[in-house]
């Protein structure tokens, strides 16, 4: 079964993301920006709350606050300098070198910054990255092997490098400091291997234009990522007119290639190399033509768009049919590329198309796409609904419902000059701001000409609403514009009447210097609502927010906004390196312009320095920050990183801190994109307090354990074992709480995967004792070892023995039972799945991302037709119990067994009794409609003495209308259905049922 905490983590993450977008979309108003009082009293400055650095992490919050010194603060002279513009981004540079230290020219460097919980490989083909998830920048090294990036945001950083003749290099645990320039250490590439050969068709003719990609299905190219992308890959080569190819960007070890040849079925090829620099030539990859789907795109009105591409993806309905009835205990295998990768065809001028290379017995969903602005990218056509078709089908028809559009030109009514900077909102029922393909608000319109497309009104339906906003002009709004399907309506010239303006001047309160790049908001919303807008990252603009006026200041510190004459409004501003201004409330005059001034304060600064017990500065330690407004309540779980990490000098600098008491503590739990146990979190060392005041500068010193590493090789039977998943769990004092659990696919520094030589390595982990769990797909149980992380890094080689248990499962009549799940567990039933789960990112029939998680290692083995099983790779030296279970039999277990090294225990047989099942169905919708409440279903066996015992439970809801209670001993049962798991509730229901061997009883409950 899948761990419940993993499901909860996924559900919480989805809910949190939805709540975030909902809150951003539905912010009720703008905060009032009042003039600040610069004469506020100075409270004091904080420092370390203990003269003994070793006690800095262990003081309780109450005690920490009590010991805050209340001396006058030390002025921070550095804060007096003007902060950098909000639009500034760091300049990142570095160099790529070969094993000998020579520069590598022409290497492709991929980079992405910011925290995103799913670790998608950066070098995957562009269409493999869901739009809006992560932004991948790329560049090429110059003749000296140097590269630069100037568009990355500070924060977590990932780098990937590919170059001809070398193995790829991945760095997934970097940080980009928030400073003007950063230079990374040299990225050294190792020699790769070379594969060469031809791609041919069934007649042996070379196939031109075939693309060869490294499959991203947990193979060597994806090692360490714990993310699979079925059907997607890293582009490596394209065949020439003779079908020849040469691949020279692979690491030694196993390789798996996707061969995507035009008009041919997808094929996959695999092999392995043993050493760097090895060459394999003369490879021949044969592709088959497969089947075809023929059809046409028909337009309801007007001509079809040019350049349409039809994509055929395996339909989820067909996929569900193949998997129907599969027991939950058997993990679904990750789809192969031939099952998951879409096939494409361009439409002819008359709309006809032929999709080639599909499978005969698979149902496909056909959707239409157009080229996007991204090089080589495609975007979904919103006016064509997907249709279903099987491989080999003819006469498939897709209907194009053409977009409607509004076109117009915006002019200044006074001068007739075109306006080129404005914002457009339009829609049917609900207006939305005009955005480009990257989701950015469109603000620039050459010559004042604009087109708002992708409108799809119903014939005879409500009209379209259009609203245009430009600084210095009254909003222009048109309602109920009659627009027919497929119509491009030219509204002609739209003349904007001048409006009085509000010029907001934003200055540094220290010295009065203008602040460039400050975000300014003006509107009728509340102070708190405006504060929510300004609490977003400094590069977040609000041009698309209809409820507020928004602008950024220029070099003179001024922002010009249209007035709201006669209204009481609030003005507020914020810039990078400053606190939000106090809200300024003002009644706007009806007959004139107005100039306002907002003064920004620097707030306080706290500089945190982290040493280890030997006095050495420690890099990469997370420092958590709690602001005065966050209160004393701590979250029971956490996604994301600590507020900051220490740099190479062991320093983390916190600036623009609001006046008040701030809390800081070392975040040594490494809860990055993970799940931290709430009870453990509450037992973490106490916060250290520091008082911030305007212009203050305080220092805190923390003691943290040194960072170190671990490396080694994993062997089985004396031979290196590749593809081993290793997971570290720190052994900590009870006062520090338990370990964190990381979501599969996250940037987990505690998980590693061995390469083709069985090698692994960890780095930059805090020193101490750990449990190392070692899992492999061929082994039924993980092995566990106690290891130490030390500085300098130490080696630890793992030699896995091959202990096994074999036996046979029969029924009471002596007949063999096939398909029975058999597994071995220790008596404590410890979590055997940690570190062996993989996140699977696939596509639905529309090409949208779909997430699932799969267990890498199967704990259970299924008996064959003769009832035989063999459990290989079991732990030795500890008591194990073997369990056998199946749908139609009552489960059985063995006495405890302790295996010796490499022991093969035979004759562990089972005789299982027949069992029955109960199928439970839910009728109607739970309270709240679809997506409402849930129900707990419990099967309680009625004993001969009338006592009842709960033997099994399951869950029902709008997402799961039926459940099956299996492996039940024949007899009488009571089945209880409890809303939200509350059996004592008034809406709880109960039914009695008789379970008969080898039969399924069916009962239903009405949602209420």
């Amino acid at each position: 079964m899948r761990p419940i905490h993993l499901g909860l983590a996924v559900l919480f993450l989805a809910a949190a993301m939805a709540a975030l977008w909902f809150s951003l979309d539905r912010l009720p108003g703008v905060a009032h920006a009042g003039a600040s009082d610069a004469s506020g009293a100075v409270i004091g400055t904080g420092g370390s709350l203990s003269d003994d650095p070793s006690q800095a992490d262990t003081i309780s919050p109450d005690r920490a606050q009590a010991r805050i010194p209340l001396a006058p603060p030390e002025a921070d002279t550095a804060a007096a300098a003007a902060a950098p513009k909000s639009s500034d981004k760091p300049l990142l540079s570095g160099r790529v070198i070969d094993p000998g230290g020579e520069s590598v020219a022409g290497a492709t460097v991929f980079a992405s910054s910011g925290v995103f919980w799913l670790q998608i490989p950066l070098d995957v083909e562009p269409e493999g990255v869901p739009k809006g998830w992560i932004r991948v920048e790329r560049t090429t090294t110059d003749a000296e092997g140097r590269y630069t990036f100037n568009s990355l945001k500070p924060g977590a950083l990932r780098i990937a490098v590919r170059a001809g003749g070398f193995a790829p290099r991945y760095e997934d645990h970097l940080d980009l400091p928030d400073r003007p320039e950063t230079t990374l250490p040299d990225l050294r590439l190792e020699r790769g291997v070379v594969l060469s050969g031809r791609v041919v068709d069934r007649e042996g003719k070379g196939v031109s234009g075939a693309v060869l990609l490294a499959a991203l299905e947990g193979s060597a190219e994806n090692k360490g990522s714990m993310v699979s992308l079925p059907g997607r890959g890293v582009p490596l080569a394209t065949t020439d007119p003779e079908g020849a190819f040469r691949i020279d960007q692979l690491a030694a070890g196993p390789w798996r290639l996707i061969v995507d040849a035009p008009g041919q079925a997808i094929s996959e090829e695999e092999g392995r190399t043993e050493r760097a620099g090895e060459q394999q030539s003369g490879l021949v990859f044969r592709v088959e033509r497969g089947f075809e789907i023929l059809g046409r795109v028909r337009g309801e009105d007007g001509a079809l768009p040019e350049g349409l591409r039809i994509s055929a993806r395996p339909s989820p309905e067909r996929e569900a049919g193949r998997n129907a009835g599969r027991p939950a205990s058997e993990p679904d295998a990750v789809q192969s590329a031939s099952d998951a990768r879409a096939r494409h065809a361009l439409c002819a001028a008359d709309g006809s198309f032929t999709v080639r290379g599909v499978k005969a017995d698979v149902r496909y969903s056909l959707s239409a796409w157009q080229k996007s602005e991204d090089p080589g990218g495609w975007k979904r056509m919103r006016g064509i609904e997907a249709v279903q078709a099987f491989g080999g089908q003819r006469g498939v028809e897709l209907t194009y419902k053409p977009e409607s559009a509004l076109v117009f030109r915006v002019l200044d009514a006074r001068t007739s000059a075109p306006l080129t900077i404005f914002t457009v909102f339009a829609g049917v029922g609900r207006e939305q701001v005009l955005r480009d393909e990257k989701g950015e608000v469109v603000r620039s319109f050459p010559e004042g000409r604009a087109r708002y497309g992708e409108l799809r009104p119903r014939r005879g339906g409500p009209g379209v609403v259009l609203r245009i906003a430009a600084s210095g002009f009254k909003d222009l709004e048109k309602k109920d514009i009659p627009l027919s399907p497929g119509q491009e309506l030219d509204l002609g010239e739209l003349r904007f009447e001048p409006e009085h303006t509000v010029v907001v001047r934003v200055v540094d309160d220290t010295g009065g210097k203008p602040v460039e790049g400050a975000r300014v908001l003006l509107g009728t919303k509340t102070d708190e609502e405006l504060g929510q807008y300004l609490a977003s990252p400094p590069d977040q603009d609000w041009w698309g927010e209809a409820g507020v006026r928004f602008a950024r200041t220029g070099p003179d510190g001024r922002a010009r906004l249209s007035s709201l004459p006669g209204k009481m409004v609030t003005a507020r501003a914020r810039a990078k390196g400053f606190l939000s201004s106090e809200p300024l409330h003002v009644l706007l005059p009806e007959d004139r312009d107005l100039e306002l001034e907002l003064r920004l304060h620097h707030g306080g600064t706290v500089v945190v320095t982290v040493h280890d017990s030997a006095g050495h500065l420690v890099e990469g330690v997370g420092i958590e920050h709690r602001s005065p407004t966050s209160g004393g309540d701590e979250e029971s779980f956490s996604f994301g990183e600590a507020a900051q990490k220490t740099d190479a000098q062991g320093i983390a600098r916190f600036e623009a801190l609001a006046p008040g008491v701030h809390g800081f503590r070392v975040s040594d739990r490494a809860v990055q994109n993970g799940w931290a146990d709430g009870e453990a979190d509450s037992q973490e060392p106490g916060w250290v307090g520091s008082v911030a005041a305007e212009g203050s500068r305080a220092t805190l010193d923390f003691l943290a354990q040194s960072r170190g590493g671990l490396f080694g090789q994993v062997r089985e039977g004396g031979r290196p074992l590749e593809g081993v998943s290793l997971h570290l769990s720190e052994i900590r004092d009870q006062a520090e709480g338990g370990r964190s659990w990381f979501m599969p696919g996250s940037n987990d520094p505690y998980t590693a995967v061995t390469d083709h030589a069985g090698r692994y390595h960890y780095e930059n982990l805090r020193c101490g004792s750990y449990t190392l769990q070692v899992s492999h797909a061929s082994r039924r149980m993980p092995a566990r070892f106690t290891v130490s992380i030390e500085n300098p890094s130490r080696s630890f080689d793992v030699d896995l023995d091959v202990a096994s248990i074999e036996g046979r499962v029969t029924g009471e009549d002596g007949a063999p039972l096939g398909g029975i799940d058999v597994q071995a567990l220790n008596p404590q039933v410890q979590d055997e799945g940690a570190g062996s789960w993989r996140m699977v990112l696939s596509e639905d029939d529309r090409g949208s991302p779909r997430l699932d998680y799969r267990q890498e290692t199967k704990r259970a083995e299924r008996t064959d037709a003769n009832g035989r099983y063999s459990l290989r790779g079991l732990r030795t030296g500890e008591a194990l119990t073997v369990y056998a279970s199946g749908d139609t039999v009552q489960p059985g277990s063995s006495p405890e067994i302790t295996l010796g090294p490499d022991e093969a225990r035979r004759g562990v047989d089972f005789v299982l009794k027949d069992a029955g099942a109960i199928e439970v169905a839910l009728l109607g919708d739970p309270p709240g409609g679809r997506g409402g409440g849930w129900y707990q279903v419990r099967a309680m066996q009625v004993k001969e003495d009338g006592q009842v015992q709960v033997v099994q439970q399951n869950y029902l809801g709008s997402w799961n209308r039926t459940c099956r209670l299996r492996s039940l001993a024949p007899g009488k049962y009571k089945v209880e259905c409890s809303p939200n798991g509350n059996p004592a509730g008034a809406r709880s229901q109960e039914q009695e049922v008789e379970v008969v061997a080898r039969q399924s009883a069916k009962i239903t409950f009405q949602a209420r």
Side-chain angles (χ1 to χ4, degrees), residues 615-791:
H616 301 133
L617 296 169
V618 184
E619 179 183 4
V621 177
I623 305 297
E624 293 185 66
H625 169 226
R626 185 171 64 187
S627 66
T629 58
S630 64
D633 296 333
E634 297 184 47
E635 300 287 346
S636 59
F637 45 79
S638 173
F639 286 93
E641 294 185 298
Q644 284 194 41
K645 290 184 179 180
T646 55
D647 59 17
Q649 286 73 45
I651 293 175
R653 184 181 177 91
F654 294 83
E655 299 177 307
L657 298 178
V661 180
H662 293 255
F664 299 90
R665 68 177 178 184
V666 171
S667 174
D668 251 353
R669 299 165 297 155
V671 187
Q672 180 180 345
N673 299 325
W675 179 282
D677 179 54
E679 182 178 354
D681 184 63
S682 65
Q683 296 171 346
E684 283 285 316
W687 295 84
V688 174
S690 181
V691 173
E694 177 62 22
S696 68
R697 183 180 186 275
T699 59
L700 293 177
D701 292 316
F702 283 110
L703 181 69
Q705 288 188 259
S706 300
R707 263 42 183 178
L710 187 74
F711 61 92
Q713 185 180 45
V714 178
R715 300 182 183 89
E716 184 185 68
R719 301 186 62 180
L721 187 60
E722 62 193 354
V724 175
S725 174
L726 301 98
H727 188 80
L728 283 172
S729 300
E730 190 169 7
I731 302 171
R732 306 182 68 169
D733 294 337
Q734 185 175 1
E736 293 183 283
R739 64 178 174 84
S740 300
W741 173 84
F742 278 80
M743 183 177 295
S746 66
N747 193 7
D748 181 4
Y750 293 95
T751 295
V753 179
T754 59
D755 63 14
H756 69 287
R759 296 171 300 198
Y760 73 91
H761 77 278
Y762 291 98
E763 57 186 11
N764 201 32
L765 300 180
R766 81 172 194 172
C767 296
S769 296
Y770 289 76
T771 296
L772 178 65
Q773 179 173 278
V774 182
S775 307
H776 192 265
S778 66
R779 300 176 63 85
R780 301 281 77 82
M781 295 184 75
R784 291 192 177 96
F785 306 90
T786 299
V787 297
S788 296
I789 299 294
E790 299 176 1
N791 187 4

Side-chain angles (χ1 to χ4, degrees), residues 103 194 198 266 358 453 573 686 700 707 747 899 901 936:
S103 301
V194 177
R198 297 177 68 224
I266 295 293
V358 297
L700 293 177
R707 263 42 183 178
N747 193 7
L899 298 174
Q936 182 188 57

Side-chain angles (χ1 to χ4, degrees), residues 927 935 976-990 1006-1008:
Y935 295 80
E976 184 179 69
C977 182
S978 307
N980 300 321
N982 180 20
R987 294 184 291 123
S988 182
Q989 305 174 62
E990 186 178 282
Q1006 181 68 43
R1008 63 185 187 185

Side-chain angles (χ1 to χ4, degrees), residues 689-968:
S690 181
V691 173
E694 177 62 22
S696 68
R697 183 180 186 275
T699 59
L700 293 177
D701 292 316
F702 283 110
L703 181 69
Q705 288 188 259
S706 300
R707 263 42 183 178
L710 187 74
F711 61 92
Q713 185 180 45
V714 178
R715 300 182 183 89
E716 184 185 68
R719 301 186 62 180
L721 187 60
E722 62 193 354
V724 175
S725 174
L726 301 98
H727 188 80
L728 283 172
S729 300
E730 190 169 7
I731 302 171
R732 306 182 68 169
D733 294 337
Q734 185 175 1
E736 293 183 283
R739 64 178 174 84
S740 300
W741 173 84
F742 278 80
M743 183 177 295
S746 66
N747 193 7
D748 181 4
Y750 293 95
T751 295
V753 179
T754 59
D755 63 14
H756 69 287
R759 296 171 300 198
Y760 73 91
H761 77 278
Y762 291 98
E763 57 186 11
N764 201 32
L765 300 180
R766 81 172 194 172
C767 296
S769 296
Y770 289 76
T771 296
L772 178 65
Q773 179 173 278
V774 182
S775 307
H776 192 265
S778 66
R779 300 176 63 85
R780 301 281 77 82
M781 295 184 75
R784 291 192 177 96
F785 306 90
T786 299
V787 297
S788 296
I789 299 294
E790 299 176 1
N791 187 4
S793 300
R794 63 183 296 265
S795 65
F796 181 81
D797 293 337
V798 176
D799 289 307
L800 300 174
D801 53 42
V802 196
S804 63
I805 294 176
E806 300 177 9
R808 188 166 182 262
V809 181
T810 61
E812 291 183 286
D813 57 0
L817 296 178
I820 301 296
D821 286 332
V822 184
Q823 60 181 319
L825 298 173
N826 63 348
Q828 290 77 29
V829 194
Q830 296 177 4
D831 183 8
E832 308 288 355
S836 61
W837 291 80
R838 177 172 295 276
M839 188 65 72
V840 180
L841 174 60
S842 56
E843 299 173 349
D844 64 14
D845 62 335
R846 294 174 175 267
S848 299
R850 180 174 57 190
L851 285 173
D852 195 6
Y853 53 96
R854 310 277 169 81
Q855 192 170 19
E856 290 275 271
T857 304
K858 292 195 303 180
R859 287 181 284 179
E861 189 76 20
R862 289 204 158 179
T863 57
D864 61 18
N866 295 317
R868 298 191 178 280
Y869 72 89
S870 176
L871 300 176
R872 178 187 179 278
L874 303 179
R875 281 202 298 274
T876 59
E878 66 178 62
L880 303 176
T881 300
V882 182
Y883 297 89
S885 62
D887 285 357
T888 60
V889 295
Q890 299 177 45
S893 61
S894 73
E896 290 187 354
I897 301 171
T898 302
L899 298 174
D902 297 321
E903 178 183 356
R905 182 73 62 90
R906 295 178 173 83
V908 182
D909 301 332
F910 294 89
V911 177
L912 302 182
K913 297 179 179 180
D914 290 339
I918 302 175
E919 294 182 4
V920 185
L922 180 69
L923 302 179
D925 287 331
R930 299 188 64 84
W934 54 274
Y935 295 80
Q936 182 188 57
V937 178
R938 300 196 303 170
M940 298 175 288
Q941 188 176 20
V942 181
K943 303 291 187 179
E944 292 183 359
D945 58 2
Q947 297 295 315
V948 296
Q949 178 184 1
V950 178
V951 294
Q952 200 171 141
Q953 66 183 30
N954 212 319
Y955 298 90
L956 294 172
S958 58
W959 72 94
N960 181 36
R961 297 287 185 169
T962 62
C963 67
R964 184 178 175 86
L965 305 170
R966 304 176 172 90
S967 307
L968 300 176

Side-chain angles (χ1 to χ4, degrees), residues 374-421:
D374 297 332
W378 293 83
K379 61 180 180 179
R380 175 79 186 274
M381 280 288 295
R382 296 173 58 186
I384 301 179
E385 291 295 325
V387 301
Q388 305 287 328
F390 282 92
Q393 192 168 334
R394 303 290 191 269
V396 179
E397 186 174 277
L398 287 80
T399 303
Y400 170 60
K401 297 180 180 180
E403 69 167 349
S404 301
L406 299 175
V407 294
F408 48 87
R409 190 178 186 214
V410 178
L411 303 178
D412 184 333
R414 295 170 302 180
T415 65
S416 295
L419 298 181
T420 59
I421 303 295

Side-chain angles (χ1 to χ4, degrees), residues 287-578:
V287 293
E288 299 291 335
R289 183 172 180 179
F291 288 79
E292 300 174 345
I293 299 176
L294 279 69
R296 183 183 300 274
V297 179
R298 179 181 63 84
E300 285 188 345
D301 296 292
L304 294 175
E306 296 181 357
L308 284 181
R309 185 183 78 170
I310 303 301
S311 297
R313 289 177 169 83
S315 168
E317 291 84 1
R318 181 69 180 95
E319 180 179 290
R322 289 200 305 268
N323 293 336
R326 177 177 292 177
S329 59
E330 180 182 344
D332 293 340
V334 176
Q335 282 184 304
S336 65
S338 60
D339 288 327
R341 193 171 178 84
R343 310 308 292 133
H344 309 291
L346 294 176
C347 287
D350 63 354
S352 61
F353 62 85
T354 301
V355 181
R356 296 183 171 88
V358 297
K359 294 185 176 182
D361 62 342
V362 175
R363 186 178 181 182
Y364 290 85
S365 178
L366 275 62
S367 55
W369 300 68
Q370 271 186 315
K371 281 192 173 182
S372 67
E373 296 175 355
D374 297 332
W378 293 83
K379 61 180 180 179
R380 175 79 186 274
M381 280 288 295
R382 296 173 58 186
I384 301 179
E385 291 295 325
V387 301
Q388 305 287 328
F390 282 92
Q393 192 168 334
R394 303 290 191 269
V396 179
E397 186 174 277
L398 287 80
T399 303
Y400 170 60
K401 297 180 180 180
E403 69 167 349
S404 301
L406 299 175
V407 294
F408 48 87
R409 190 178 186 214
V410 178
L411 303 178
D412 184 333
R414 295 170 302 180
T415 65
S416 295
L419 298 181
T420 59
I421 303 295
F422 51 88
T423 309
V424 182
F425 301 82
V428 181
R430 180 185 178 187
E431 62 185 52
Q432 294 182 336
V433 69
L434 179 63
R435 297 179 183 271
D436 59 22
E437 291 184 2
K438 296 181 179 179
E440 302 292 335
V441 176
V442 179
R443 293 268 301 149
S444 178
F445 300 89
E447 299 182 355
R449 301 184 186 278
R451 180 182 188 275
Y452 196 116
E454 293 296 340
L455 296 170
R456 303 191 188 276
R458 292 184 291 106
R459 195 176 298 279
V464 174
V465 176
L466 172 68
R467 187 169 64 83
I468 309 173
S471 180
F473 296 86
K474 296 180 180 179
D475 287 0
L476 188 151
E477 187 171 15
K478 291 181 175 291
K479 298 182 178 180
D480 295 326
I481 300 174
L483 187 65
S484 302
Q487 180 185 11
E488 184 157 308
L489 179 61
D490 191 345
L491 299 177
E493 294 179 346
L494 302 180
R495 296 181 176 270
F496 266 46
E497 295 296 330
E499 178 61 277
H500 291 296
T501 60
V502 176
V503 176
V504 180
R505 183 169 182 260
V506 182
V507 299
D508 185 340
D509 189 64
T510 304
K513 293 182 179 179
V515 178
E516 181 181 0
R519 296 182 296 168
V520 180
L521 290 170
L522 179 76
T524 59
K525 296 181 181 290
T526 67
D527 297 354
E528 292 75 18
E529 291 166 345
L530 282 183
Q532 292 180 55
Y533 286 106
L534 294 175
S536 60
D539 60 345
Q540 172 72 57
D541 289 330
W542 294 104
W543 301 112
E545 187 62 33
V548 294
R549 306 291 198 196
F550 172 78
R552 283 188 181 269
T553 57
D556 59 354
R558 284 180 165 83
R560 183 169 176 263
L561 307 98
S562 295
S563 180
L564 296 169
K567 292 189 177 182
M568 176 65 72
V569 299
T570 301
R572 204 164 185 185
R574 187 172 187 177
K576 185 177 181 180
F578 293 92

Side-chain angles (χ1 to χ4, degrees), residues 92 109-114 116 118-123 134 136-137 149 152 155-160 170-176 184 222 225 227 672 745 747:
L92 176 69
V109 184
F110 306 82
S112 179
S113 62
F116 189 78
L118 189 65
Q119 191 172 332
I120 301 173
L122 301 183
D123 48 358
I134 61 173
V136 180
E137 306 288 346
F149 291 97
L152 298 170
L157 174 68
R158 298 174 59 209
I159 296 285
Y170 301 97
E171 293 291 340
D172 291 323
H173 305 292
L174 302 174
D175 286 285
L176 179 58
L184 290 180
N222 200 24
S225 172
V227 179
Q672 180 180 345
N747 193 7

